[in-house]
C-alpha cells in the first residue's frame, strides 16, 4: 500500500524527485546517494512486495543506516561505494527502472563539525565523504603547490581571489600546518574580506576543496554514463544539483543524448543521430513554499530524463 510517509528530515525537492521517478510497484530502483534515507523510504512506500531498491553511498555513516533499513526490509540491497561504480554492481546487471542522484553534501554531514565540511563549525579539516578512504583536505593543503591550490579554488569554486588565497595559505603553512576548519575559514576571510557579502567569504573555497577532495565532478560524469547504461527503456534518470558546475554536466549529458548536434557546414554529409534519452522537464526549481522554509532549496535544480528504446 502506498503510504507516502514523509521522513522527519525531508531532502530538498523530495516530492518532485519521487514523482519524477514514476515508481512502478514491481520495479528496480537505485538511490545513488542514500544519505539518511529520505528518498529511499519514499521509494519503498511506492514499491510493492516484488519491487527492489538498491542503495549506494560513500559515507560509512549513511551506509550503517542503509544496512539497518535493509535488515528490516528484504527489498533493499546496499553497497558502500560511489554511484560512479553502479554499473560494476552485479545487482544492477538486470537493468534499472530508475536512478536517483541527490548531489553534494548532506545536511547531516554539514551539521557534524568533526566531518570538516562546514566553515561555520570548527572541526578537523577533513571534508571526505568517506573518511576511511583517500586524502583529507588538510593533507592535500599541506602538500599541494601554490598553483594547484589556486587552480582548484578557481575551477571548482569560481573564486576570483584564488591566487591570493593560495599564496597566503602556502605562506601560512610554512609557519604551522592548517588542521582546523576554523583556521582555514579565518585565513580565507582575511584575504577576501567580509564586507557586506550575503555569504561567508570562505564559501566558494570550501566548496572547491570539497569537490576536489571527493572527486565529485569526475564521479558525476562516470555515474551518469553508468546510469545510462543500466537504465531500461522507459526508465527514469532523476538528478538534483546544487551548483552550476554539477548542473552544467547533467544538462549537457542529457542534451547530448536527447538532441541531434547542430549542423556543421564543413561536414555536408549529415551524421545519423538516434536519441537515447528524452529530456522530460528541463531545469525544475523548488517552489516558493519550500524555499521559504529551507534556504538550501534555493540553489537546487532537478533534471529528469527517460531512457528510450534502442532503434531496431
Amino acid at each position: 500500500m502506498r503510504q507516502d510517509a514523509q521522513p522527519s528530515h525531508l531532502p530538498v525537492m523530495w516530492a518532485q524527485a519521487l514523482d519524477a521517478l514514476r515508481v512502478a510497484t514491481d520495479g528496480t530502483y537505485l538511490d545513488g546517494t542514500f544519505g539518511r534515507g529520505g528518498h529511499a523510504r519514499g521509494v519503498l512506500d511506492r514499491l510493492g512486495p516484488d519491487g527492489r531498491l538498491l542503495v549506494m553511498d560513500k559515507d560509512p555513516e549513511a551506509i550503517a543506516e542503509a544496512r539497518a533499513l535493509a535488515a528490516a526490509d528484504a527489498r533493499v540491497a546496499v553497497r558502500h561505494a560511489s554511484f560512479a561504480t553502479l554499473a560494476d554492481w552485479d545487482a544492477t546487471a538486470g537493468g534499472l527502472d530508475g536512478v536517483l542522484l541527490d548531489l553534494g553534501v548532506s545536511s547531516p554531514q554539514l551539521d557534524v563539525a568533526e566531518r570538516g565540511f562546514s566553515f561555520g563549525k570548527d572541526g578537523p579539516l577533513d571534508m571526505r565523504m568517506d573518511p576511511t578512504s583517500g586524502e583529507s583536505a588538510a593533507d592535500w593543503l599541506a602538500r599541494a603547490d601554490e598553483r594547484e591550490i589556486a587552480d582548484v579554488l578557481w575551477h571548482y569554486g569560481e573564486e576570483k581571489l584564488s591566487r591570493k588565497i593560495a599564496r597566503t595559505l602556502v605562506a601560512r603553512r610554512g609557519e604551522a600546518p592548517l588542521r582546523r576548519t576554523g583556521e582555514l575559514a579565518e585565513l580565507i576571510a582575511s584575504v577576501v574580506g567580509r564586507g557586506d557579502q550575503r555569504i561567508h567569504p570562505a564559501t566558494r573555497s570550501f566548496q572547491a576543496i570539497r569537490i576536489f577532495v571527493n572527486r565529485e565532478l569526475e564521479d558525476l560524469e562516470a555515474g551518469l554514463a553508468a546510469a545510462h547504461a543500466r537504465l531500461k527503456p522507459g526508465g527514469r534518470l532523476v538528478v538534483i544539483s546544487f551548483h552550476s558546475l554539477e548542473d552544467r554536466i547533467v544538462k549537457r549529458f542529457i542534451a547530448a543524448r536527447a538532441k541531434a548536434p547542430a549542423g556543421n557546414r564543413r561536414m555536408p554529409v549529415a551524421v545519423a543521430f538516434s536519441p537515447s534519452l528524452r529530456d522530460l522537464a528541463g531545469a525544475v526549481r523548488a517552489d516558493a513554499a519550500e524555499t521559504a522554509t529551507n534556504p538550501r532549496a534555493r540553489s537546487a535544480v532537478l533534471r529528469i530524463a527517460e531512457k528510450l528504446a534502442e532503434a531496431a
Side-chain angles (χ1 to χ4, degrees):
M1 177 182 295
R2 177 172 166 171
Q3 300 172 354
D4 286 351
Q6 295 191 3
S8 57
H9 168 72
L10 277 180
V12 169
M13 302 186 78
W14 182 83
Q16 297 96 317
L18 290 174
D19 288 345
L21 280 174
R22 195 182 56 178
V23 177
T25 57
D26 60 348
T28 299
Y29 296 86
L30 184 140
D31 181 348
T33 49
F34 179 81
R36 292 303 178 266
H39 287 122
R41 291 181 176 88
V43 173
L44 284 173
D45 284 338
R46 290 161 168 77
L47 284 177
D50 296 324
R52 189 142 175 82
L53 175 64
L54 312 178
V55 299
M56 304 180 74
D57 207 295
K58 291 181 180 181
D59 189 335
E61 293 179 9
I63 288 298
E65 190 154 337
R67 286 175 175 151
L69 180 63
D73 194 324
R75 298 173 297 172
V76 181
V78 181
R79 189 175 195 227
H80 180 201
S82 166
F83 59 72
T85 67
L86 72 86
D88 300 332
W89 189 5
D90 289 345
T92 70
L96 300 169
D97 295 290
V99 174
L100 172 65
L101 305 177
D102 182 6
L103 305 176
V105 64
S106 69
S107 295
Q109 289 169 329
L110 285 170
D111 291 342
V112 178
E114 287 72 25
R115 299 300 300 272
F117 288 106
S118 176
F119 44 78
K121 296 180 174 66
D122 184 49
L125 188 53
D126 195 311
M127 295 196 193
R128 288 173 294 175
M129 291 180 179
D130 182 356
T132 68
S133 176
E135 188 175 36
S136 71
D139 289 342
W140 176 69
L141 288 170
R143 68 159 182 83
D145 62 32
E146 182 179 321
R147 181 173 181 176
E148 182 182 1
I149 295 170
D151 285 348
V152 165
L153 299 185
W154 171 250
H155 289 299
Y156 297 133
E158 299 175 323
E159 172 53 67
K160 295 178 181 178
L161 295 176
S162 58
R163 292 183 181 180
K164 188 174 182 182
I165 292 171
R167 185 164 58 250
T168 305
L169 192 153
V170 170
R172 164 67 186 277
R173 78 184 184 193
E175 303 169 4
L178 287 162
R179 290 292 173 187
R180 309 285 298 181
T181 56
E183 294 173 335
L184 179 60
E186 283 302 315
L187 181 147
I188 295 169
S190 72
V191 175
V192 177
R194 295 187 181 274
D196 58 355
Q197 299 181 66
R198 290 176 295 173
I199 63 171
H200 191 284
T203 300
R204 289 182 294 273
S205 294
F206 267 63
Q207 170 189 291
I209 296 167
R210 188 204 81 220
I211 289 172
F212 175 79
V213 165
N214 291 289
R215 293 180 52 83
E216 292 179 35
L217 301 188
E218 293 89 344
D219 275 11
L220 177 56
E221 290 177 341
L224 290 172
H228 182 265
R230 284 291 189 250
L231 279 170
K232 300 175 184 177
R236 296 284 181 88
L237 173 65
V238 179
V239 186
I240 304 172
S241 305
F242 288 90
H243 58 75
S244 60
L245 296 175
E246 292 172 336
D247 183 54
R248 193 177 302 132
I249 290 172
V250 179
K251 177 182 178 181
R252 288 176 177 173
F253 180 88
I254 294 172
R257 289 154 185 81
K259 297 188 297 185
N264 187 337
R265 59 185 178 83
R266 296 181 181 179
M267 296 179 64
V269 179
V271 177
F273 175 78
S274 296
S276 59
L277 290 177
R278 178 183 292 117
D279 187 347
L280 294 180
V284 180
R285 301 277 182 178
D287 60 29
E290 182 173 5
T291 56
T293 58
N294 185 356
R296 189 166 181 255
R298 295 172 190 163
S299 60
V301 178
L302 172 70
R303 293 190 184 271
I304 313 161
E306 183 175 284
K307 182 75 175 286
L308 299 175
E310 294 182 9

